[in-house]
Each structure stands twice: as structure tokens, then as C-alpha cells.
């Protein structure tokens, strides 16, 4: 636009919610020096332009969706959400309840004007489904949202001086069907875009046109007759125009609607659809595009109405409809209808003088010129006849952004106009425009303005291209997320349906000793193998949890554990991934056994789904935000794969079994104390080592425990893989099946072996056959005794625990096959059980005594306690 920028003056500020005011709800009405304003919330303000201050604020019980002022009677009508239609007089606040300066509401807590709560008696038409209305001098027209159709109702307005409540209903008609928005069943939700109602009168009608609100206006007889037909022209009847959220623009002749109740007929014949914008209608107006003749302009009185010759309707996305009477080639008067596409989305609009239409978008306020765009098409009607509409519109920027409500002030200045605007930040502004310099004619477009217009068009093309690219990226992200979700669903179903059979995706764990610098470290190797037809891509993680000592026996324990997370990236069918991690010893040189290694597949829903649904550009006004209830509540899905326990039998090393030429150096124990290292270096050649382990082994007897198992039970459990092998050798091979030295034990057919524990202590395993003579009356029972010896009590206990665990598993499996036990001497078993109960009670007594005795007495108690433990570790029972 050529010329200087419009002069903008700040008038007042109003509190607004975070994110600014929403479009289509705020309203600004101007009558003489007063401005009536609603921000779409509960308050309606009255602002005095001459005094420059707020004079009053009316509080309604709910959000105000629409305002109209019946100017001749000074009545303000307000549509209150979920309540109905209210009517009050701004000059008589006494109808409302007591006035307060501040009642604690956040919207008006800092307003300097009095806040007047509106009395419930001011509700003249209670109806929660009421969505729009317009007021004439004698009738009230409403639009109600039904279950599936819009319903237009006509009420009789009272005469001046009577109660403001409308009289009885004098007409009703249903409009087109619509798809109701999602809401509570049986209770339709409020539409996002409200319908638009306005009243149109012919130029000869006596209906007053200064109605305020969305405004009634009059059209020239030629255009009125072409649009609404001969019936409306002959009846001199006002016509109600209705713009619906689905884009329909329809009309109803009021007098025909009134007479339809007394003369039944086809109700659909009362509704005429003028056009379909295919997007929500947000504004309907009219303007004068033809300049008045010189003689007519001189005779025009100041208060005389100017009849419009062009009807305008705007859609939310920028589609604009203009209808005007024009001459065709045969000299016949016909309606000329043109559609224009303007930059959107459109928030609000207003019609001004000189054929100008003002409309606001989130980024700017524009003006377009609909004044005479071409010469008359008929030579017989030169300049006296109506001209045509311009073939295209060039929006000119006014450099005012985010206006959510517009109104043309009646205080017109010579050669200019004044706009009242409410911004998204809640500021009331006046914009004074100089029409002569701001809006040059299209025929006088200069090279500078043409270049600027080209830049604007190129900028619009660039914005659209960027928007298309952004949407394409968002669609690709969601398609990728859907593909990943489908793969995750297939993998989950395959794993959960495999049962006890081979799993399509498995994780096997094995252990081995490795030398790292000067210390031997037990390493666990986990192999994730994909034997399914699906791929593990984005969002999959392999979680390996290591639980040590007593924590490994109780997964519900609150104790901490070490968890390793390894992202799984592109593990296709038939491929595997290997992960190696240390199990110990720790910094103190100890290795708490047993150690349990649990492998789990984790699929992150937040990573895959949340990243695709959440908008990546929150500043984009066109991108709908994702509802919070759509995002997944859980972080992800866990699929257990395996659980592997590492005990003493797997960690034992046997340096003496290696061949002489391949024998590795002896395993290193925990890092020794520097003083002990010095004493060891000073020892004479051939002398005995002086370490704590060696001293314990030399001067203290080894700790011993034994387990007896029925030979018949062992033969039944080991017959598959150990046929032809002596039972003692087969038993030792079975116990060391997961140890790296099992092949040497099998090759040498050993029944006893001496190994080294992780801390360097010796552990001796001896397997021999014995006969149990006192248990069965039929004769001796052949059994296998497994004996464990170690200079370290802790290592002996760990080996004992490992062997008992294997025995429990074997007994459970054999019991499931229906094995039966021989006849036993019950009295002998009871005696053994009683002896064990006596020993256990003695253990409890000795432990209690240790807590109270002095150091001298406690030595004897401790020795007795060790003797009792030794007896308990050699039970006279056998596993059958």
C-alpha cells in the first residue's frame, strides 16, 4: 500500500487468557461516543471515547458469545453460553444486582470501573442450545443447534415501555443438516465456529437499519430483487441471511416465515441457499461500491441511509464471495457473483465506505477495494448503470497484527475512516486511515506498488511451500511411527505366544574368565538373536539387569541393582548382537555369588509415538495441537527374554587340569595389602607363604559339607546324556556342565576335582558311592555322596548352595514324571528329624549367648557353634 502507515492509538487494555483471545467470540460495537466490548469471557465493558475511560462492566453468568445493540431503544442483547439470551439497558443498571469494585475474579480484579452482576431476571430467552441471534425493531430471530439440524425461530418483540421479554413464537423453520461435533451423547457440543445472522431490508422498507451488532443493512432494490425474488420485493419484507459453519449461505423471508404458521406448506420452500463457500462463514456484510452521482450527492441528507449495492461474505480460510447487480451482454440486469481467494485464515472483518472491506489475519490487517472495477457491459447503460466487480483483489497491508474484532466507527473524518479494533492481547485500538493516500486506484498502480505486490505474492508462495514441506515431514514421521508400532505389535505377539517352545527372539548368556591388566575378571556374554521375520529398529532397547548375592534370589527386593541399556538398531531377521559386560570381582576383590543376569526387551512408546504426535513447531498457527489424552500414558512395553544365574560351580577354575605346555598361571586373588606383599618378598626360598588364606589352610581344618542322593534317582535323571559312564563321573560332569573345564573332566573320567574360587581359596569336590543301611527295611539303599571341602567357609557355603539348587530342579523334574520312593523306616526318620530340631535350637541358643558374653567366654561358644554347624552340614538323610 502506498502512503504512510495508519495512525494507531491505544485506548484501553483488558485481561486475556494465556495464548491470547480466540477468534469469532470477542465483539466490539460502536454507537455514537460509546463502545460496547466483549472479550469472549463473562464481562461486557462500556467505554466512553470522549472521556477516554471505562464507565461500566456487566458480569454475565457465563461466556458471552455475541452482542447486539438495539440503538433506538438503547437495549443491549447478549448471548450467554449455556444460558440463553439476556437483555439489559446500559443506562439503567438498577435492574442488575449490587455493584462491586472487585469480587475476586481474575478478569476484572484490576479494572477501575464498577462491575455490575447481571440479574438472572435479565435472561429473556433461556435456551442452552442457542447459538446466534439478530434483533429487529419488532421481531427477534434466533438460531438453535439441534441434534442434527439448525433451527431458526422467530419471536415477537414487545412494544416500547413493555417488558423486554419476547412474546410468543411466531415462526420456525429448519435449515440444512450438519455433522455435530464430538461431545457427550445426547448433549451436542458447542461448535468451534458460530453461525452468523444478519437482517437485510429493501431500500423502500420502513424497517430501521441502525440496529448495531452484526448489523442490519439495506440493499438497493435491483440487487434485493435479484437475490431474494419478487415475493420479498412485493412484500417489502426483511430477509434474514444465515452463514453456517459448514459454508452454506442461505436466506429466509421473514414475512413468509410468519405466514407459514397460518398457511401450512412445504417448510423447505422457505429456505433458499444462495451459495456454498465450503469453509466456515465468519462475516456477512454489505457496502456501496458505486459513487453517487453529483446531483444525488448534493441532495443527500446527513442522516439519510446509504443503500448498499454489493453483498459480501467471508470464509475462515480466506474465500470471499461478492454479489452485485450488473448488466449482461443483452442489456439484462443479472446478479454478478465472484469468488476471491485472500490470504487467510481470516479472524474478523468489517465493511467501510468507498467500497472497502477490512479483514484481519493472525499476521496482519488488510484492506481490499471492491469499488467499480469495470465499465458497464451494455452500451445502452453508460455510466448511469451499475458497473462490474473487479476481476481480482489486491489486499493492502495496514501493518496491524492479530485483531480479533473490528468495527467501523461512525465518527467519520473527511477523506478518511476510523476503525475500532480489539487485539488478541486484549487491547482496544483506534486506527485512523487516510483513504486518499492509503488506497490509490488500481489504474494508478505505480511501479513501486507493483513490485511490492509481487514481493508479497512471492512471500505467500514461499510460506505455502514451507507449510507443505512441514506437513509432508509430519506425515512421514507419523507413517514411520505407525510402521514401527506395527512391527512392535508383531514382535510382542510372537514372543508372548511362543509359550515353552523355542522363542523367535532369544537372549542367551554365558560366562568366562578374562585377564584385565593384573586382575582376573568374570565376564558375561549376552547374545541377542533374531530368528523371527521382523526387524528391531527405532525404539527397541536391550536391558540387562545384574543382581548379586541375596538380591538375586528376591526380584521384589528394594535393593539397588546394576542395569545396562543397549540400544538395538536395525537387528534384522537372522542376525545377532553380542554384548559383553563385567560381573566382578569389585574394587574390594570380592564376588558376591550367586549373580542373576536378566535380559529384557524394552520398546519406548514415548520415543516413537510421542515424537510423531507432539507438534515439533509450537509457533505454527496452522498446526493443531495434539490432545493430551492421545499421548501414551506408559513409558513403554517390557518383554522378558531370559534369566540366567551364575553360581560357584560355574566360576570355579581348575589350573591343575590344564596340560603342562598350555597351563596358565594360577588365578590371581584379590589385590593384596602392600605390607603382605613386602613380607612375601622377604620370605626365604622354600618357606611357606604367610598370607591369610595360606595360614587358614595350614592351621584350620577345611569346612566340609555333603549331600547324599539316591543312585536310582541320579541314573533316571542322567541316563540320556551319560550312558556308559560311571555314575560318580557322570554326576560330577552334570554338576560342572556350565563350567569351561567340563570337557577335561569328561575326557579324564574324574570323580573328584580340586578348583580355585574367585577369591583364590581352594574348593575340593568329591563324588563317591555309599550305602545307606538304616533307612529302608528291605535293605541298603545305594546312594551317591557329593562332598565339598574348602578352606573358606564362605566359598564352601556358595558351592553347597549351587549344588542344592541343581538337586531341587532335578527332584522337581523327576517328581513330575511320577517316580515313586521305596518303603522307609518312619521311626528312624522321625528320630533324625528330632535330632536336627535339637541342633537348630542349640544354634539359636549359642547365637544368643554370643551377644551377651565377654571375649574370653565367647571363644568357647564360637567353637561349639562351628561344631554344631558341621553336624548340620552332614545330614543322615538322602534325596530319593
Amino acid at each position: 500500500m502506498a502512503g504512510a502507515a495508519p495512525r494507531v492509538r491505544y485506548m484501553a487494555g483488558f485481561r486475556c487468557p494465556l495464548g491470547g483471545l480466540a477468534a469469532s467470540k470477542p465483539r466490539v460495537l460502536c454507537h455514537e461516543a460509546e463502545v460496547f466490548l466483549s472479550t469472549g469471557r463473562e464481562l461486557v465493558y462500556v467505554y466512553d471515547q470522549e472521556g477516554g475511560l471505562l464507565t461500566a462492566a456487566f458480569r454475565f453468568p457465563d461466556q458471552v458469545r455475541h452482542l447486539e445493540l438495539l440503538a433506538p431503544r438503547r437495549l443491549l442483547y447478549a448471548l450467554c453460553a449455556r444460558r440463553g439470551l439476556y437483555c439489559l439497558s446500559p443506562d439503567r443498571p438498577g435492574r442488575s444486582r449490587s455493584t462491586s469494585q472487585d469480587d475476586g475474579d481474575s478478569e476484572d480484579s484490576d479494572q477501575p470501573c464498577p462491575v455490575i452482576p447481571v440479574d438472572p431476571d435479565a435472561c429473556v430467552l433461556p435456551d442452552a442450545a442457542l447459538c446466534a441471534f439478530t434483533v429487529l425493531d419488532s421481531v427477534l430471530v434466533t438460531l438453535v443447534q439441534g441434534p442434527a439440524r439448525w433451527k431458526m425461530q422467530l419471536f415477537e418483540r414487545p412494544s416500547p415501555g413493555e417488558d423486554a421479554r419476547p412474546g410468543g413464537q411466531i415462526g420456525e423453520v429448519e435449515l440444512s443438516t450438519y455433522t455435530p461435533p464430538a461431545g457427550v451423547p445426547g448433549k451436542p457440543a458447542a461448535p468451534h465456529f458460530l453461525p452468523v445472522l444478519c437482517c437485510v431490508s429493501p431500500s423502500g422498507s420502513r424497517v430501521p437499519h441502525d440496529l448495531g451488532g452484526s448489523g442490519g443493512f439495506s440493499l438497493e432494490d435491483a440487487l434485493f430483487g435479484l437475490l431474494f425474488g419478487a415475493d420479498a420485493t412485493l412484500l417489502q419484507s426483511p430477509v434474514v441471511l444465515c452463514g453456517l459453519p459448514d459454508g452454506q449461505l442461505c436466506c429466509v423471508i421473514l414475512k413468509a416465515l410468519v405466514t407459514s404458521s397460518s398457511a401450512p406448506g412445504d417448510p423447505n420452500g422457505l429456505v433458499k441457499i444462495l451459495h456454498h463457500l465450503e469453509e466456515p462463514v465468519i462475516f456477512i456484510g454489505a457496502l456501496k461500491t458505486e459513487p453517487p452521482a453529483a446531483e444525488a450527492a448534493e441532495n443527500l441528507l446527513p442522516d439519510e441511509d446509504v443503500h448498499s449495492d454489493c453483498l459480501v461474505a467471508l470464509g475462515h480460510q480466506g474465500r470471499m464471495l461478492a454479489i452485485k447487480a450488473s448488466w449482461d451482454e443483452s442489456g439484462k440486469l443479472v446478479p454478478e457473483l465472484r469468488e476471491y481467494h485472500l490470504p487467510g485464515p481470516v479472524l474478523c472483518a468489517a465493511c467501510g465506505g468507498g467500497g472497502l472491506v477490512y479483514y484481519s489475519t493472525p499476521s496482519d490487517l488488510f484492506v481490499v477495494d471492491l469499488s467499480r472495477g469495470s465499465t458497464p457491459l451494455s452500451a445502452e447503460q453508460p455510466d448511469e448503470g451499475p458497473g462490474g466487480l473487479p476481476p481480482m483483489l489486491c489486499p493492502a497491508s495496514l501493518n496491524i497484527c492479530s485483531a480479533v474484532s473490528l468495527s467501523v466507527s461512525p465518527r467519520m473524518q473527511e477523506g478518511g475512516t476510523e476503525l475500532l479494533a480489539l487485539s488478541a492481547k486484549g487491547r482496544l485500538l483506534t486506527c485512523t486511515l487516510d483513504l486518499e493516500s492509503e488506497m490509490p486506484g488500481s489504474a494508478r498502480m505505480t511501479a513501486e506498488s507493483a513490485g511490492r505486490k509481487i514481493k508479497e505474492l512471492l512471500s505467500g508462495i514461499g510460506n505455502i511451500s514451507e507449510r507443505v514441506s512441514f506437513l509432508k515431514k509430519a506425515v512421514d514421521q507419523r507413517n514411520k511411527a505407525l510402521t514401527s508400532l506395527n512391527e512392535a505389535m508383531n514382535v510382542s505377539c510372537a514372543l508372548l505366544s511362543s509359550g515353552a517352545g523355542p522363542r523367535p527372539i532369544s537372549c542367551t548368556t554365558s560366562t568366562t574368565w578374562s585377564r584385565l591388566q593384573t586382575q582376573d575378571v568374570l565376564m558375561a556374554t549376552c547374545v541377542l538373536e533374531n530368528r523371527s521375520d521382523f526387524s528391531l529398529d527405532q525404539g527397541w532397547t536391550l536391558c540387562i539387569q545384574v543382581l548379586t548375592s541375596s538380591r538375586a534370589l528376591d526380584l521384589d527386593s528394594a535393593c539397588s541393582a546394576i542395569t545396562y541399556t543397549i540400544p538395538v538398531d536395525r537387528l534384522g531377521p537372522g542376525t545377532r548382537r553380542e554384548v559383553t559386560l563385567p560381573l566382578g570381582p569389585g574394587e574390594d576383590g570380592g564376588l558376591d555369588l550367586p549373580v542373576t543376569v536378566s535380559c529384557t526387551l524394552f520398546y519406548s512408546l514415548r520415543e516413537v509415538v510421542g515424537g510423531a504426535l507432539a507438534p515439533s513447531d509450537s509457533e505454527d498457527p496452522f498446526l493443531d495441537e495434539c490432545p493430551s489424552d492421545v499421548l501414551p500414558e506408559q513409558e513403554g512395553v517390557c518383554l522378558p527374554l531370559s534369566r540366567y544365574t551364575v553360581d560357584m560351580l560355574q566360576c570355579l577354575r581348575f589350573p591343575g587340569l590344564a596340560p603342562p605346555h598350555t597351563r596358565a598361571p594360577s588365578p590371581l586373588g584379590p589385590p593384596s595389602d602392600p605390607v603382605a606383599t613386602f613380607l612375601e618378598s622377604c620370605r626365604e626360598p622354600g618357606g611357606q607363604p604367610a598370607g591369610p588364606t595360606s595360614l587358614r589352610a595350614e592351621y584350620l581344618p577345611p569346612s566340609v559339607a555333603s549331600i547324599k542322593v539316591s543312585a536310582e534317582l541320579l541314573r533316571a535323571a542322567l541316563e540320556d546324556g551319560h550312558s556308559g559312564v560311571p555314575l560318580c563321573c557322570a554326576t560330577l560332569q552334570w554338576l560342572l556342565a556350565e563350567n569351561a573345564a567340563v570337557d577335561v573332566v569328561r575326557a579324564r573320567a574324574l570323580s573328584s576335582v580340586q578348583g580355585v574360587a574367585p577369591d583364590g581359596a581352594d574348593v575340593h569336590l568329591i563324588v563317591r558311592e555309599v550305602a545307606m543301611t538304616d533307612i529302608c527295611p528291605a535293605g541298603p539303599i545305594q546312594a551317591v555322596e557329593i562332598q565339598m571341602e574348602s578352606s573358606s567357609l564362605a566359598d564352601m557355603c556358595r558351592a553347597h548352595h549351587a549344588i542344592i539348587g541343581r538337586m531341587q530342579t532335578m527332584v522337581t523334574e523327576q517328581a513330575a514324571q511320577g517316580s515313586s520312593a521305596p518303603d522307609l523306616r518312619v521311626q528312624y526318620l522321625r528320630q533324625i528329624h528330632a535330632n536336627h530340631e535339637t541342633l537348630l535350637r542349640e544354634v539359636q541358643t549359642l547365637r544368643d549367648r554370643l551377644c551377651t558374653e565377654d571375649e574370653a567366654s565367647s571363644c568357647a561358644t564360637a567353637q561349639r557353634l562351628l561344631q554344631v554347624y558341621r553336624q548340620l552340614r552332614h545330614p543322615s538323610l538322602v534325596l530319593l
Side-chain angles (χ1 to χ4, degrees), residues 315-338:
H316 176 63
Q317 296 300 331
R319 184 172 292 183
M320 177 177 176
L321 170 70
I323 307 177
K324 184 179 179 181
S326 183
W327 303 101
D328 63 2
E329 296 179 354
S330 61
K332 183 179 179 181
L333 200 61
V334 294
E336 179 185 3
L337 185 147
R338 283 188 183 272

Side-chain angles (χ1 to χ4, degrees), residues 489-529:
M489 180 65 69
N490 292 330
V491 170
S492 302
C493 292
L495 285 175
L496 296 177
S497 61
S498 60
R503 313 194 80 180
I505 298 176
S506 62
C507 188
T508 57
T509 305
S510 60
T511 57
T512 182
W513 284 93
S514 298
R515 179 68 60 87
L516 296 180
Q517 296 179 355
T518 61
Q519 186 180 10
D520 288 347
V521 178
L522 182 64
M523 307 294 292
T525 301
C526 301
V527 180
L528 178 65
E529 186 174 2

Side-chain angles (χ1 to χ4, degrees), residues 777-811:
I781 294 178
Q782 296 298 320
V784 173
E785 182 183 37
I786 304 170
Q787 182 173 308
M788 299 136 277
E789 296 181 2
S790 178
S791 58
S792 170
L793 178 61
D795 290 335
M796 188 276 298
C797 291
R798 294 188 181 107
H800 193 197
H801 178 271
I803 294 176
I804 288 178
R806 284 163 173 74
M807 293 299 173
Q808 288 176 338
T809 303
M810 180 188 67
V811 171

Side-chain angles (χ1 to χ4, degrees), residues 516 518-520 585-590 668-674 676-677 692 758-760:
L516 296 180
T518 61
Q519 186 180 10
D520 288 347
E587 296 180 357
D588 57 352
L668 294 177
S672 59
D673 184 75
T677 304
D759 59 359

Side-chain angles (χ1 to χ4, degrees), residues 28 73 126 154 191 321 350 363 397 593 682 738 845:
V28 175
R73 302 189 186 181
L154 189 64
L321 170 70
S363 59
S397 172
L593 294 175
C682 296
E738 297 180 3
T845 303

Side-chain angles (χ1 to χ4, degrees), residues 194-398:
L194 297 176
V196 180
L197 285 182
C198 65
C199 184
V200 183
S201 304
S203 60
S205 174
R206 296 183 179 180
V207 177
H209 310 303
D210 187 13
L211 301 179
S214 60
F217 49 83
S218 63
L219 293 179
E220 290 185 349
D221 291 340
L223 179 59
F224 188 88
L226 290 173
L227 287 178
F228 309 121
D231 292 342
T233 305
L234 293 175
L235 292 173
Q236 288 290 295
S237 169
V239 176
V240 175
L241 286 177
C242 181
L244 299 177
D246 63 355
Q248 292 190 67
L249 181 65
C250 53
C251 64
V252 177
I253 302 174
L254 287 185
K255 290 187 178 180
L257 180 60
V258 173
T259 57
S260 65
S261 59
S262 58
D266 182 13
N268 296 327
L270 300 175
V271 182
K272 178 181 179 182
I273 298 178
L274 298 179
H275 193 70
H276 204 305
L277 284 178
E278 299 181 355
E279 59 187 57
V281 180
I282 65 163
F283 174 76
I284 300 174
L287 65 161
K288 182 73 173 178
T289 61
E290 298 289 338
E295 183 178 352
E298 292 178 0
N299 298 329
L300 186 65
L301 298 177
D303 296 333
E304 188 174 348
D305 292 323
V306 177
H307 306 299
S308 304
D309 59 8
C310 182
L311 181 67
V312 176
L314 253 71
H316 176 63
Q317 296 300 331
R319 184 172 292 183
M320 177 177 176
L321 170 70
I323 307 177
K324 184 179 179 181
S326 183
W327 303 101
D328 63 2
E329 296 179 354
S330 61
K332 183 179 179 181
L333 200 61
V334 294
E336 179 185 3
L337 185 147
R338 283 188 183 272
E339 270 196 6
Y340 304 99
H341 295 272
L342 306 176
V346 178
L347 304 180
C348 57
C351 290
L356 301 181
V357 178
Y358 305 92
Y359 74 95
S360 174
T361 68
S363 59
D364 208 342
L365 178 63
F366 296 93
V367 57
V368 292
D369 188 1
L370 283 172
S371 60
R372 187 168 184 167
S374 62
T375 57
L377 296 177
S378 174
E380 299 178 2
Q381 291 88 10
D383 292 341
E384 293 83 1
L389 291 167
M392 65 174 293
L393 296 179
C394 299
S397 172
L398 298 179

